[in-house]
Amino acid sequence: MAFVRKNPLKLNKLQLRTLVLAQVIAKDPNSGKIDEATGEATLLRVPHAHGDHVHVGKFTVAARDASGFENPAVWVALTRKGLVKEGYPAAIVLTKEGMEYDTGLGDPFLEESDH
């Protein structure tokens, strides 16, 4: 049995949080569109913080956990590692690999929104 290492691309914490949130957005039909043929996903809407939180689909996320959306260096790194296609900030497209990448985070910092 082969051992599968967590985070094989050695993403930092901000990159991991940004990627997992982008995956959540991509899977929300109101915020993302997945191309079934290629497995790529386009983010149609990127959330912006109001106060100390951000709404990501049906979840509320602490603004500090979503700060990577506003950080060009995060998108450059994710693009360089093949998880996102070049195009930020005009467009954010997760590659099939980006959609399937296991960040190891699951949803521990996501809470369903009450508003």
Side-chain angles (χ1 to χ4, degrees), residues 8-109:
L9 295 178
K10 299 181 181 174
L11 301 180
N12 68 31
K13 289 180 183 180
L14 182 58
Q15 293 162 354
L16 288 168
R17 286 193 310 256
T18 303
L19 181 59
V20 75
L21 292 174
Q23 291 168 342
V24 170
I25 292 167
K27 292 173 186 172
D28 178 351
N30 296 316
S31 301
K33 181 176 170 126
I34 298 174
D35 182 330
E36 298 297 331
T38 65
E40 295 180 342
T42 302
L43 303 189
L44 304 174
R45 193 174 319 165
V46 177
H48 297 284
H50 55 278
D52 64 349
H53 66 281
V54 176
H55 295 279
V56 177
K58 65 181 181 178
F59 301 104
T60 301
V61 179
R64 70 182 176 280
D65 289 330
S67 64
F69 284 113
E70 305 293 329
N71 186 334
V74 169
W75 299 106
V76 168
L78 293 175
T79 300
R80 188 178 65 246
K81 293 180 185 250
L83 303 173
V84 174
K85 285 190 165 183
E86 196 165 338
Y88 174 87
I92 298 174
V93 177
L94 276 68
T95 62
K96 181 179 184 215
E97 294 77 13
M99 285 298 294
E100 295 174 350
Y101 192 84
D102 181 4
T103 63
L105 296 178
D107 299 44
F109 53 87

